[in-house]
Structure formats: C-alpha cells, structure tokens
C-alpha cells in the first residue's frame, strides 16, 4: 500500500536524538567521500620530489631512461669499441675483466666496457657489429657449472634452437678460469667457444685457460693477456702502446659534512635466476660456538647463528650460508699508514662517484676509508704482476720503483717472489719503501684495483625441520703454507675471522661451552679483528641448493664425506632422526666419513654415536682414518670399495648417492662407484657412463664439492 508524503515523513523521522546524530554522521561521511580529491585530499603535485634522486631535482624534469639490456645498443650509446663480459663466482673473473678494460683504455686508447653477463640479454650478442670486439672472461665452478651471474648466458648457449643462431659479425677472444681437480675443467669456456665457432664467429686468438689447482691463475691470465695485446691490438689493429699515467675512473672527495651510511652488504654480480635462489644479506647474531676437534694440524669449529630477528630469512636442509668476512685490523692499519692516513682522515666521510655515466661500482657512498678497507675491499688478496708494475709509477723513492719493476716485469722473478713472500698490498708498500709514505698513490686507484670482498660459502650443518630459527655451519681453521717457504703460514681470511668471533664470544659468556686451542698448537694466529664485546654478529645470506634429501623419507641414502664435508650430512641425519621420532618410517642411511685420526679429529663424534643409537639400525657410519698406521691407513674411497656389494645393491634398489668434500675426493669416490657398478652389472664403459649421467640428471647422484 503506497504512503502519502505526510505518512512517509512520519515513518522516516528519527525516533530519538541518537538516531538523528547517526543520520547526520552518515550524511557527512557520504558527502566527504564524494568530494575526496576535489575539495580535500587533492594530490600533491610536488610529491614526486620525495622519491627522485637528488641529481634529478636541479632542472631535470624527466626520469633517466631504463638501462638497456641490449649490449649492441649499450656499446653504441657509451661509444665503446670493446666489451669485456665476465662471469664470476668468487670475484676473480670480474677483477680480471675490470683490469683488462682499464688497460685497454690506458695502454692502447681503446674505449672498453666491463660488462656483467647478467646485465644484458645473451641473444643480443649476435647484434654486436663487426667493428666492435668482444672478450669473454668465464669461470667454471663445481661440476662444470657456470657462475651465478652467467646462468642466462649458459641457458642461451644450450637452448634447443642454438643451431639456428648465426654469429658472422662476432669477433671475440675468451679466457676461462677453472680447476683441473674437477671432472669438467673449464667446461663453461669450452662450451662457449664451441658454440661461437659453430655459429660462424671469428676467434681472434686461442682461448686461454687458468688452473686454480696449481695456483697458476694469475700467471695464465697475464700470459694470455700479453698474447691478446700482441696479436690483436698490435698486429691486427695496428695499435701502439701509449705511455700515459693513471686515469681515475672514480671521484673520491672528502666531505666532513656527510654522514656515512651504515654497513651494508649485497651479493653482487647475480643474475635474476641466481638472485631468486639467494636471500638478502642480514646481520646474524652468533648464539654459540664450540670446538669439534683437537687435531694438531687443523682446528674445526661449530657455529650456530640466530635467525629469529629476521623472520623473512628461511633455509632448508642442505642449503648454503654465504658469510662475509672482515679484514684483519693489522692489514687495514698497515695499508692506511702506507698511504699516510691517520685515524681522523680514515674516519672522514668520502663521497664516491663514477666519472663516466652508467659505470657501476660496488662500493657504498658516503663511506670512509676505514670502512672500505675493513669491510668491502679484500686487502689481504695477493698482488698481481700488473698491479706491481702500476704501483711503481707511484713509488715515493727510486729504490722502491726499481724494486717493483724488477719483480713485476720479469715472470720468473714475480713467481719466485710470491712463492716465498706473503705480500698483501699494504705489506708491499711497506716492503718497497720502509717508513715512507706513498703520498702520490691516489685512493681512487686502490678502490679500483683491490678486489671487492666476496662471501665464503658454507654447507649448512643443521636441519630446518629441527631448528628452523637456528642455522649451523662447520668451519675448518687452517693456515696455508707458502709454496716456496713452508715456514710462512697464510691464515684463512673468513675462517680466522670466525675463530676470533668464537673466542671473543666465549670469553664474554657465562656458559660452560668454551672454545679451546689444542695444547699441541703453541702459536696462535694473528687476531683477525678487534671484536667489540657484545657485538658478536656477522653478515650472511642463505643460498638455496639442490643438495637435498629425497622427498620420500623411506628412500635409502648413501653419503660420502671427508673433513668438514660432513656438515650437510649432519643436517640430513638430524632430519631423518626427527621423522623417526614422530613415528614416520625412514629408509636406511649409510655414511662413509673420512678424517685423519680416530681420536681428536672425528667431527661430531659423540653426537653421531647417540644418533646411531637412536636410529636403532637405520643409520650406520663407516669411518676411514688417513693418518693412522697399519691397515687403518685408508681413505674414504677405500671404505666404499670394501663395502662395494652393499653400496651397489642399495643404488640398484633406488638409493640416492651424496658426496661432499674436496673435488679430488669426490672424483676418486665417483670413479670407485662407477667401477663397482660396472663390474657388478657387467656393463660396458658406455653403459656405466650413461648410468652415472642419468643418475646425476635425475638428482639420484648429487655432489657438493669445492677445490
């Protein structure tokens, strides 16, 4: 029944003052919503200023264009004649590429671009015109794997349509970094050269190869570089050496008014795919540290780090932890004294900028010289032959100049020098000119020459199922004797840094856990750094790994480890033990573990005994002791051979094989396993090679090894 106007007004009239207030509130809110952006909350036309880079505010009204991923376009835009691509895992290839680019400009006047492979789309290499040159400096690590920043390039090389790609305009040279202890020595270089040559590219000189196994990487690069200069630059291009001084690529200005940014660490040189497998770098608190052995030759530590402060940081059993070291204070202070920087100047803020637009450098700014030498540049790295020659131009005395030239210009003199003298750049300055300041040595030169600190990767020794907020690592602390003088010991940068952290932590704790130095070691290594009491933290990142337990907990596994290679297997065993504790069935586990002595060198000995007991026959540990006499003088591959029937039976029935440790050990164990399977199954050589290849492809055979 319809209402008239009077009845409708009475019906809608508020029954009380509260109803009236509610109606007014609703009306005002609706009006305000409809007028938003017109009468109020209008956009601030200057809001963009808060997000612009400072250099864009003065007269610039448009954003800088996004950097091109087309290398041909980049060479044209930057007016470069040569591109030097680098694929680097530990920073050596990157350092070589940067050095080569600088020398091309200084010595021959060729404008060169040092290019991270992950910054450009690999297929655009085919667009490089014949008027330009391309150089590739490529590292191979692990079992023939490319560096993280070269994964896109690697996939392009091996794509199915690869045969259709033609490179008739590409003129190139290539140098590879590898380790002959690995089965696929310099595989990345070999595959790249094969692909380029097959696509019609013109190789300018024979590809060079460095072998880290014999310590000749620097020497091999120097020899290959000299051939590049002589054959390509001098003979083919008709260029002559220019005798010009150092031309800085960075501007370094002291500005006390600036505030240095806080310590930051990033994983540089990673492609998009590699970045997706690595977490952000975080500062982690060290929860506890303990000694694992009392060996007279090597010291092993167990460190546990707290992830609770960083809930976004997660790991899975078998992953790696990338740890950033800190340089020893003694080396830092020696370098600062060498260039005449006192404490005040070393702590003065520096503004660092690239002098050439678009050039990237991996250093913080504003910062200080003290922060750079302590946290960002590897001042303990060996000094290259080229660097010694370059330093001679800044020598403060004629005697210093003559000494550096004698060492740097003669290959044999340099080899003898580095084999018998542990020389960092700070020590070299002091050795060449004792008690003399290198006043003419620019800080910019050091920042461009000293390689950046790279993280060291450790296999995680804990289980994410057991301790998701605590990550553990196993560290071997061992000095390396110089080849030409075994009395001179070189301390490991990261291992001794972690040792100093551990000892400082336990000096300042009230718990009963202590880190003790074995009595047989009567000389302590130099203190790597001054640890601030209560600040026992380190910068680290989690990197995902394919080194994983089978998805099915019932799948049997065979594990082979030597030394600190036991780390990921500790996590594997803890995870399986947890599954069994909650009533889940688990497959048989057998671990072959190699160490030096039965007493004092068997890592996690008591813990493993308890786990064997708890697993009630599911877990067996077979040990090999390489330094004990008699019949016990065996390596881990000998134990695998002794139990060959059982190992082959497990593998034939679907067990997974895991090997972790040094590459030489993994190679020997792999050879034994292949021989056992070939003999047991009466396979041909082709059959066993096909079996091992498919096992690795299907992740039934996994390795986590290092050189």
């Amino acid at each position: 029944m319809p209402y008239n106007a009077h009845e409708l007004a009475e019906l809608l009239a508020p029954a009380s003052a509260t109803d009236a207030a509610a109606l007014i509130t609703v009306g005002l809110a609706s009006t305000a919503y409809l007028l938003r952006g017109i009468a109020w909350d209008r956009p601030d036309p200057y809001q963009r200023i808060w997000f612009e880079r400072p250099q864009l505010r003065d007269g610039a009204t448009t954003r800088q264009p996004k950097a091109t991923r087309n290398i041909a376009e980049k060479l044209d835009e930057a007016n470069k004649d040569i591109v030097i691509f680098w694929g680097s895992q530990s920073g050596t290839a990157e350092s070589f590429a940067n050095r080569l680019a600088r020398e091309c400009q200084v010595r021959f006047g060729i404008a060169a671009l040092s290019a991270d492979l992950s910054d450009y789309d690999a297929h655009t290499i085919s667009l490089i015109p014949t008027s330009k040159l391309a150089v590739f400096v490529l590292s191979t690590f692990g079992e023939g794997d490319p560096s993280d920043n070269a994964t896109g390039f690697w996939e392009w090389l091996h794509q199915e349509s690869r045969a259709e790609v033609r490179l008739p305009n590409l003129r190139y040279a290539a140098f590879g970094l590898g380790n002959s202890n690995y089965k696929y020595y310099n595989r990345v270089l070999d595959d790249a050269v094969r692909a380029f040559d097959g696509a019609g590219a013109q190789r300018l000189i024979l590809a060079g190869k460095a072998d880290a196994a014999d310590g000749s990487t620097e020497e091999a690069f120097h020899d290959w570089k000299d051939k590049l200069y002589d054959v390509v630059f001098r003979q083919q291009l008709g260029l002559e050496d220019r005798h010009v001084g150092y031309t800085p690529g960075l501007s370094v200005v002291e500005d006390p008014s600036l505030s240095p940014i806080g310590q930051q660490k990033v994983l540089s040189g990673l492609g998009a795919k590699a970045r997706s497998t690595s977490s952000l770098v975080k500062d982690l608190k060290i929860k506890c540290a303990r000694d694992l052995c009392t060996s007279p030759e090597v010291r092993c530590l167990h460190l546990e780090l707290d992830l609770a402060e960083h809930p976004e940081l997660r790991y899975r059993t078998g992953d790696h932890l990338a740890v950033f070291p800190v340089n020893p204070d003694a080396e830092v202070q020696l370098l600062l004294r060498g260039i005449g920087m006192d404490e005040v100047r070393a702590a003065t803020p520096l503004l660092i900028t690239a002098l050439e637009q678009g050039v990237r450098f991996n250093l913080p700014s504003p910062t200080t010289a003290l922060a750079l030498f302590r946290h960002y540049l590897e001042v303990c790295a060996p000094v290259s032959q080229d660097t010694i020659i370059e330093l001679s131009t800044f020598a403060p005395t004629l005697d210093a100049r003559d000494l550096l030239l004698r060492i740097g210009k003669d290959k044999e003199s340099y080899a003898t020098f580095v084999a018998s003298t542990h020389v960092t750049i700070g020590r070299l300055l002091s050795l060449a000119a004792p008690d003399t300041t290198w006043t003419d040595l620019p800080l910019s030169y050091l920042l461009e020459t000293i390689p950046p600190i790279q993280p060291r990767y450790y296999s995680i020794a804990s289980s994410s199922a057991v301790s998701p907020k605590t990550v553990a690592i196993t560290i071997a602390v061992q000095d390396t004797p110089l080849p030409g003088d075994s009395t001179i010991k070189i301390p490991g940068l990261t291992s001794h840094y972690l040792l100093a952290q551990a000892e400082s932590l336990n000096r300042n704790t009230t718990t009963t856990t202590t880190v003790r130095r074995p009595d047989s070691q009567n000389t302590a290594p130099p203190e790597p750094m001054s640890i601030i009491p209560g600040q026992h933290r380190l910068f680290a990142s989690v990197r995902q790994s394919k080194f994983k337990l089978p998805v099915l907990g019932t799948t049997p596994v065979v594990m082979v480890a030597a030394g600190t290679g036991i780390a990921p297997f500790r996590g594997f065993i803890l995870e399986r033990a947890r599954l069994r504790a909650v009533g889940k069935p688990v497959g048989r586990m057998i671990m072959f573990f190699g160490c030096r002595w039965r007493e004092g060198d068997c890592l996690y000995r008591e813990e493993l005994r308890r786990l064997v007991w708890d697993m009630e026959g599911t877990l067996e540990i077979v040990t090999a002791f390489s330094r004990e006499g008699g019949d016990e003088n065996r390596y881990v591959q000998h134990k695998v051979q002794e139990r060959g029937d059982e190992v082959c039976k497990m593998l034939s029935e679907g067990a997974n094989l895991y090997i972790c440790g040094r590459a030489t050990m993994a190679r020997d164990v792999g050879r034994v396993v292949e021989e056992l399977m070939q003999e047991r199954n009466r396979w041909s050589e082709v059959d066993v090679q096909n079996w091992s290849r498919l096992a690795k492809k299907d992740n039934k055979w996994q390795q986590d090894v290092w050189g």
Side-chain angles (χ1 to χ4, degrees), residues 304-326:
E304 294 183 6
L305 309 171
D306 191 0
L307 305 182
E309 297 176 352
H310 306 285
E312 73 281 8
L313 204 60
R314 299 181 179 89
Y315 78 96
R316 292 177 56 204
T317 308
D319 283 344
H320 299 138
L321 192 73
V323 176
F324 286 86
V326 174

Side-chain angles (χ1 to χ4, degrees), residues 106-356:
V106 173
R107 293 185 60 176
F108 297 97
I110 300 178
L113 172 69
S114 178
D116 183 336
L117 274 168
S118 65
D119 286 344
Y120 301 94
D121 295 326
H123 68 86
T124 64
I125 292 174
S126 63
L127 304 178
I128 298 175
T130 188
S131 59
K132 311 288 185 180
L133 302 181
V135 175
F136 296 84
V137 183
L138 306 170
S139 67
T140 300
F141 81 102
E143 290 303 305
D145 298 321
S147 59
D148 287 340
N149 75 309
T151 52
F153 172 74
W154 180 255
E155 291 170 356
W156 175 70
L157 286 178
H158 294 87
Q159 63 186 6
E160 292 183 2
S161 59
R162 173 75 237 153
E164 302 174 4
V165 176
R166 305 305 301 167
L167 303 170
N169 296 325
L170 181 65
R171 297 192 297 159
Y172 81 99
F175 182 81
L177 295 87
N179 188 319
S180 60
N181 286 331
Y182 293 93
K183 182 176 181 179
Y184 299 103
Y185 166 62
N186 260 309
R187 179 184 179 184
V188 176
L189 172 74
D190 290 340
D191 283 11
V193 170
R194 189 180 303 111
F196 290 159
D197 291 354
Q202 179 188 353
R203 179 152 38 105
L204 301 173
I205 58 171
L206 289 176
K209 290 185 178 181
D211 187 1
D214 59 12
S216 63
T217 298
E218 177 67 38
E219 180 181 350
F221 177 71
H222 189 274
D223 290 345
W224 173 83
K225 180 167 60 69
D226 281 350
K227 292 178 183 176
L228 177 72
Y229 292 162
D230 187 49
V231 175
V232 179
F233 291 0
R234 297 188 184 98
Q235 295 181 24
Q236 296 181 12
L237 301 180
L239 300 175
E240 296 182 358
D241 292 71
R242 305 191 319 171
H243 300 284
V244 296
Y246 163 67
T247 303
L250 297 176
S251 169
V252 183
V253 179
E254 293 184 0
D255 190 343
S257 67
L258 298 174
S259 297
I261 63 176
Q263 187 180 346
Q264 298 176 345
K265 294 288 186 181
V266 294
L267 292 170
S268 61
L270 300 185
K273 182 176 180 180
R275 282 195 297 268
S276 67
T277 63
S278 298
S279 73
L280 295 176
V281 181
K282 300 293 182 181
D283 61 320
L284 306 181
K285 180 181 179 181
I286 302 177
K287 293 178 64 174
C288 70
R290 69 174 189 269
D291 256 327
L292 292 176
C293 67
T294 56
S295 164
E297 294 185 11
V298 64
R299 186 174 181 185
C300 288
L301 300 176
H302 173 85
L303 257 63
E304 294 183 6
L305 309 171
D306 191 0
L307 305 182
E309 297 176 352
H310 306 285
E312 73 281 8
L313 204 60
R314 299 181 179 89
Y315 78 96
R316 292 177 56 204
T317 308
D319 283 344
H320 299 138
L321 192 73
V323 176
F324 286 86
V326 174
N327 287 315
D329 280 350
E331 293 289 347
V332 173
Q333 295 301 325
L334 186 63
L335 180 53
L336 289 172
R337 286 197 300 271
I339 59 176
M341 272 199 174
D342 57 20
E343 293 183 4
V344 175
R345 279 197 64 198
T348 301
L350 302 172
L351 182 64
I352 305 173
T353 54
L355 293 176
E356 185 176 345

Side-chain angles (χ1 to χ4, degrees), residues 46 50 72 108 111 120 127 149 154 248 296 301 401 451 471 490 508 520 678 698 701:
Y46 302 104
W50 293 99
F108 297 97
Y120 301 94
L127 304 178
N149 75 309
W154 180 255
L301 300 176
R401 178 181 177 275
V471 61
I490 304 175
N508 292 278
S520 56
Q678 183 178 10
D698 296 337
W701 180 337

